[in-house]
Amino acid sequence: MPYLTGNYANPSGSHRFARRTRQAIDEARDQVAAIVGCRPNEVVFTGCGTESDNTAISGAVTRRGGIPVCSEVEHPAVLEVVEHLGGRVVAVDEAGSIDLEQLAAVLDAEDNVAIVSVMAVNNEVGTVTDLAEVGKVVRRHAPGALLHTDAVQAVCWLDLRNVTPEVDLLSLSAHKFGGPKGVGVLIERGSPQIDPLIIGGGQERERRSGTQNTAGIVATAVALELTDNERDTEAVRLGELRDQLVARLQSEIEGVVETVAPDRKVAGSAHVCITGVESEALLYLLDEAGLCASAASACASGAMEPSHVLAAMGVDRSVALGALRLTLGYTTSAADIDRAVEVIAPAVRMLRR
Ligand code: PLP
């Protein structure tokens, strides 16, 4: 609030009021760097996770030439940029982890790979990537390429201090960890190795021009600190609740398949596929009952299309059409799990009738 009301000076100004807002941004940068595990001058504040992803990939290709490479299950903020720039997309296994042999083969086949982008945690099914293993393949088969990770979904579950050292570039989005919408972070380790996407006034040490969103940046750092303090205890609590939720759904409803095994995904992800129902109809009933969920299927030309993530994992189309993506977070209580089961089971029965 102070930065939206009394202390509203433009941080690029040279007067005392501007210096105060600039100092607030610098403090936020220090806080973010300490939690992410990098130096403050490696933290670039952007306008969203999508901008961070776009900057990493386009910026690497513009600076270095060559093509980008990513996995098949990336968020569109990565996938669409890689496809737009004529890059290569690598297959994943049945849990949604990038196939390291195929990655090696793609890197061997290409003369000039500018950047490899592999997400830390998948946004739909929650699968965690072993970035150390990806890094080994990239260094062996494309030593000149940068490694980027979209860690937008990782913050609530993984200690970024263990993730950042494995990569050159890392993207975050504030609203995924309780910060405001419309603030992103791009970590660019070492000296600049990519071109900026947005050029102009030279803010963020020329890496991202445009007047900074001071209040949003300060709030992002606070949200990140709170998340970091609670992360490990919350992961244990929510992992137990998630397992109870899935077990109870499976005991009350026939044909509930857990999409990814619990030991390969983050604690808050309870993605299931329910046979014999279409998620679109189920989501409508759940919404009516006050349960917020999603399916990540898109309606193209009137026909329901299953998500690109499930298709890449080889989930049968008829099963994928019954996808239900339930996500647990810091507001989720044991009573919410009871309520969710009470709402989902009759809704599925009604649709199967
Ligand atoms: N990457 C992943 C994995 C996401 O889940 C999202 C948002 O859902 C984004 C990128 C895009 O972030 P933003 O909405 O801040 O642009």
Side-chain angles (χ1 to χ4, degrees), residues 110-278:
E110 295 294 338
D111 298 337
N112 189 5
V113 175
I115 184 165
V116 177
S117 181
V118 183
M119 69 202 317
V121 172
N122 182 267
N123 50 302
E124 279 183 40
V125 294
T127 305
V128 179
T129 300
D130 187 341
L131 284 165
E133 290 302 312
V134 174
K136 278 187 209 159
V137 173
V138 173
R139 281 190 297 277
R140 195 169 314 138
H141 295 268
L146 297 173
L147 177 57
H148 165 252
T149 191
D150 175 336
V152 164
Q153 296 282 345
V155 182
C156 295
W157 315 110
L158 307 182
D159 187 343
L160 293 176
R161 296 168 189 88
N162 302 325
V163 177
T164 308
E166 307 294 347
V167 298
D168 301 294
L169 296 142
L170 179 144
S171 302
L172 302 176
S173 171
H175 72 275
K176 303 295 185 196
F177 49 87
K181 281 161 274 292
V183 183
V185 178
L186 179 62
I187 307 299
E188 292 186 38
R189 296 185 59 228
S191 52
Q193 301 189 71
I194 63 170
D195 280 351
L197 188 67
I198 300 184
I199 50 179
Q203 287 90 343
E204 296 294 292
R205 298 170 326 288
E206 310 272 338
R207 292 179 176 200
R208 198 276 190 181
S209 287
T211 300
Q212 290 101 331
N213 171 359
T214 312
I217 288 170
V218 170
T220 296
V222 172
L224 190 59
E225 264 192 3
L226 294 173
T227 305
D228 187 54
N229 293 341
E230 304 286 315
R231 190 193 53 247
D232 293 344
T233 39
E234 279 296 87
V236 172
R237 184 181 77 84
L238 292 167
E240 284 168 5
L241 288 183
R242 186 267 318 271
D243 292 343
Q244 285 167 22
L245 172 63
V246 175
R248 286 186 56 194
L249 289 176
Q250 286 177 324
S251 79
E252 302 233 354
I253 312 165
E254 254 179 58
V256 175
V257 180
E258 188 168 25
T259 315
V260 172
D263 61 345
R264 294 194 63 178
K265 66 184 176 187
V266 293
S269 172
H271 192 290
V272 292
C273 291
I274 307 180
T275 53
V277 296
E278 286 206 350

Side-chain angles (χ1 to χ4, degrees), residues 61-91:
V61 170
T62 318
R63 168 76 68 101
R64 308 158 78 92
I67 60 156
V69 171
C70 73
S71 88
E72 247 180 323
V73 296
E74 297 300 311
H75 187 277
V78 167
L79 197 53
E80 301 237 341
V81 188
V82 168
E83 285 172 351
H84 179 73
L85 294 172
R88 298 279 306 268
V89 178
V90 179

